[in-house]
Amino acid sequence: RGKLCTIYAPSSTKDLENCAPLIAKSDVVVLDWYLNIENKQQNADAEADVEAEEPRGIYTLELIKNIVEDATEKKLKLIIVYTGDGAKLYSITKDIHEAIATDANYTIDAKRCQVSSANVTILVRAKDNGEKDQLKYNQDLRSKIVKHEDLPDFITAEFARFVGGL
């Protein structure tokens, strides 16, 4: 479909640092909410141990902050957080907004699971787990499920909507 795609599965914090130049050049970045990063930091602090055991979102938020800092008015960025934690789409959206809320230019549209500014849009979407009744208790989130095979078309449509009018 005329896209150049790179899959990068970081396994350490050094890998995250190494992907920064690639991300800086990308128009669209798709991130998993849970990045299974090896935590080599030795710390006896009990709170740090708990955080290391459940690092969902920690590394993704850091990547998003770096992308936002790098995205000047001259760069357009679409970030899609693609997560298996479908029931947490609203809280993930809120966490992202809080992480970058130091910049007043970012607004949150919780209902759309979107955080955006004039040149950056962040969407939070759920991975389809193959179950017919996925998110049956959260009917309003069902429209935020994207099947893996539909992801390329979803990205194209969202990027076109994002840059529309340019």
Side-chain angles (χ1 to χ4, degrees):
R1 296 185 178 117
K3 295 179 189 80
L4 177 62
C5 302
T6 301
I7 297 174
Y8 192 75
S11 60
S12 69
T13 53
K14 182 72 173 162
D15 287 346
L16 288 174
E17 294 168 15
N18 291 339
C19 73
L22 178 65
I23 289 174
K25 294 177 184 177
S26 301
D27 297 320
V28 180
V29 179
V30 180
L31 300 169
D32 197 318
W33 185 242
Y34 174 67
L35 297 175
N36 190 13
I37 303 295
E38 180 182 311
N39 190 352
K40 295 181 180 179
Q41 185 178 9
Q42 299 297 323
N43 192 335
D45 185 2
E47 287 183 52
D49 290 342
V50 169
E51 189 172 286
E53 289 174 16
E54 184 56 44
R56 294 193 187 278
I58 294 169
Y59 300 109
T60 303
L61 285 173
E62 284 304 312
L63 285 172
I64 290 171
K65 285 191 244 180
N66 292 338
I67 294 167
V68 166
E69 285 176 18
D70 181 61
T72 63
E73 305 84 40
K74 297 177 183 175
K75 290 185 179 180
L76 296 174
K77 293 285 185 180
L78 173 61
I79 303 167
I80 300 169
V81 176
Y82 193 49
T83 181
D85 292 336
K88 296 181 181 179
L89 295 182
Y90 292 139
S91 65
I92 292 170
T93 304
K94 183 179 175 229
D95 289 347
I96 292 168
H97 184 253
E98 288 175 359
I100 61 174
T102 55
D103 187 335
N105 294 324
Y106 283 89
T107 60
I108 184 170
D109 184 341
K111 194 168 189 149
R112 293 195 69 221
C113 296
Q114 176 177 315
V115 177
S116 57
S117 72
N119 63 315
V120 177
T121 294
I122 304 165
L123 300 172
V124 182
R125 295 298 180 261
K127 295 176 184 176
D128 180 20
N129 67 10
E131 296 176 11
K132 276 177 47 176
D133 61 349
Q134 183 178 355
L135 298 174
K136 70 178 178 180
Y137 299 110
N138 292 306
Q139 294 292 322
D140 51 331
L141 292 177
R142 292 193 78 158
S143 65
K144 307 297 183 274
I145 298 171
V146 179
K147 291 181 179 180
H148 184 261
E149 60 269 17
D150 296 337
L151 193 56
D153 291 332
F154 174 79
I155 292 168
T156 301
E158 289 299 326
F159 191 70
R161 181 174 303 132
F162 173 52
V163 299
L166 295 181

